[in-house]
Amino acid sequence: MRTTLDRVRHAISFELIGLALVTPLGAWAFDMPMGDIGVVAIVSATIATIWNYLFNLGFDHLLVAIKGSVKKSLKVRVAHAVLFEVGLLAVLMPFIAWYLGISLLQALLMDASFALFYMVYAFVFNWAYDRVYPVEERPAKA
């Protein structure tokens, strides 16, 4: 399992790189001021950072309980990314609608676009992170 320090490094680096990518892309794609998209992105990233830590901790504990290891197959990585984004979507959509003064449907479409971006980004980032900072495999306790 990863250490707490490693999980914090993972979550912070994930969010900072994501912010640097999504803010200008979102402003361009939705023809909105970068400042407005920036606020939505920062609040979303803050919530997502907390969710990232808690979700990944729980997901890894579940993997250890089921498989005895945190090693992830392609199918598990896809499920991980999808479940993470669905949970985040449910929390962020009302905030986006309120802050930008748009309908819930518009917020859903915007949030779904961000979620799609982040789902692909999460898959690539987590794969790369696992390569750069591999988890030391330890035998499961009997």
Side-chain angles (χ1 to χ4, degrees), residues 46-56 83-85 87-88:
T46 302
I47 292 168
T49 299
I50 295 164
W51 175 238
N52 187 333
Y53 178 82
L54 296 173
F55 181 82
N56 285 317
L83 291 171
F84 177 87
E85 290 302 332
L88 196 55

Side-chain angles (χ1 to χ4, degrees), residues 9 14 22 40 43 48 58 63-64 68 77 88 95 111 129 134 139 142:
R9 175 182 54 203
F14 178 88
V22 81
V40 167
V43 169
L63 281 179
V64 169
R77 286 187 184 281
L88 196 55
F95 164 73
D111 200 7
Y129 191 90

Side-chain angles (χ1 to χ4, degrees), residues 2-135:
R2 294 195 177 276
T3 65
T4 298
L5 184 60
D6 188 32
R7 289 180 189 281
V8 169
R9 175 182 54 203
H10 175 271
I12 290 172
S13 60
F14 178 88
E15 294 305 332
L16 289 177
I17 293 167
L19 278 173
L21 295 171
V22 81
T23 301
L25 288 172
W28 172 77
F30 297 109
D31 195 27
M32 293 190 154
M34 190 151 9
D36 287 348
I37 296 299
V39 168
V40 167
I42 289 169
V43 169
S44 297
T46 302
I47 292 168
T49 299
I50 295 164
W51 175 238
N52 187 333
Y53 178 82
L54 296 173
F55 181 82
N56 285 317
L57 180 63
F59 197 90
D60 283 355
H61 278 285
L62 184 63
L63 281 179
V64 169
I66 292 170
K67 295 174 43 176
S69 168
V70 293
K71 193 168 185 175
K72 298 172 185 81
S73 67
L74 178 62
K75 285 182 184 180
V76 170
R77 286 187 184 281
V78 170
H80 177 269
V82 170
L83 291 171
F84 177 87
E85 290 302 332
V86 167
L88 196 55
L89 180 76
V91 173
L92 294 179
M93 189 180 67
F95 164 73
I96 292 170
W98 168 79
Y99 184 79
L100 296 176
I102 60 178
S103 72
L104 284 173
L105 179 58
Q106 289 171 309
L108 173 64
L109 295 174
M110 182 180 278
D111 200 7
S113 298
F114 287 137
L116 182 60
F117 165 82
Y118 270 100
M119 194 174 350
V120 172
Y121 169 64
F123 180 86
V124 172
F125 179 89
N126 286 312
W127 176 80
Y129 191 90
D130 286 348
R131 295 286 184 246
V132 174
Y133 302 104
V135 175

